Amino acid sequence: MKVAAITLSAAALALAACGHKDKTTVTTDNTTTITANDTVVAPAPSADQAFANAAAASDAFEIATSKLALTKSSSSSIKTFAQKMIDAHTDSTAKLKAAVAGLTPTITPDPTLTSDQQTKLDSLQGLNGTAFDKAYAAAQVEGHQKTLDTLRAYSSGGAVPALKVFATKLVPTVTAHLNMAKGLKA
């Protein structure tokens, strides 16, 4: 906490030193904010909140891209895989919400896609047929690998027991999804 306070104090001083005459506020508890020129910088989410956000965004990405696959793919195996992903990631979202229900401090998963996920989704929207299938399969392999890495890291080092259980229980499922995605033929 002292490092955070020092860092925040340094940031506040740097903002003040830039010649700004506006009020600078530094709060060093869990709701840290820096106000300069009427701009509020929210604190970075805790590692536990960041994990919940990553899991929620992963589910949202898999569902969105798989819904596209149902309409844009020319492959029955891609469409079958896509429906499995929609079902599995809808279930995963429900399990994540159950895992965080009632936690103190509150953790609310944010399903907002990362910029990389949004870029991939936007790219997929412009494709059809075989081109879509190849890009979708590649996105599924990459997305599931990142999710697997995130789940493994949290299951071994996370601080919230309910989220650790959630992560640990999902590792075999995501491993299976990754292996299925690697086997997709476009």
Side-chain angles (χ1 to χ4, degrees):
M1 193 61 169
K2 289 181 182 179
V3 172
I6 292 168
T7 303
L8 289 172
S9 296
L13 289 173
L15 288 171
C18 290
H20 299 290
K21 306 252 190 252
D22 295 332
K23 178 180 170 185
T24 299
T25 303
V26 177
T27 308
T28 58
D29 62 5
N30 287 339
T31 59
T32 304
T33 57
I34 298 173
T35 306
N37 291 332
D38 298 322
T39 301
V40 176
V41 179
S46 70
D48 308 308
Q49 180 66 58
F51 168 75
N53 292 351
S58 173
D59 283 341
F61 177 75
E62 297 301 335
I63 292 167
T65 58
S66 294
K67 284 181 177 179
L68 277 178
L70 294 178
T71 60
K72 292 181 167 280
S73 176
S74 61
S75 165
S76 62
S77 64
I78 295 274
K79 288 182 179 188
T80 299
F81 175 83
Q83 187 59 58
K84 286 180 184 178
M85 293 306 98
I86 292 167
D87 296 343
H89 289 278
T90 299
D91 183 56
S92 174
T93 297
K95 288 177 180 176
L96 176 60
K97 288 178 182 178
V100 299
L103 290 178
T104 304
T106 302
I107 294 176
T108 304
D110 180 359
T112 302
L113 300 182
T114 66
S115 61
D116 185 50
Q117 289 169 326
Q118 187 63 55
T119 298
K120 283 186 174 77
L121 178 60
D122 293 344
S123 174
L124 285 170
Q125 289 173 336
L127 301 173
N128 288 299
T130 305
F132 175 88
D133 294 344
K134 287 179 182 179
Y136 173 77
Q140 292 301 303
V141 170
E142 182 182 339
H144 282 94
Q145 184 62 61
K146 285 181 181 179
T147 299
L148 183 58
D149 294 343
T150 300
L151 291 170
R152 285 181 175 157
Y154 196 86
S155 68
S156 68
V160 177
L163 286 176
K164 284 181 78 163
V165 169
F166 166 80
T168 302
K169 285 184 176 181
L170 273 182
V171 166
T173 302
V174 175
T175 300
H177 291 174
L178 175 60
N179 290 333
M180 290 188 320
K182 286 179 178 178
L184 289 173
K185 302 290 184 229

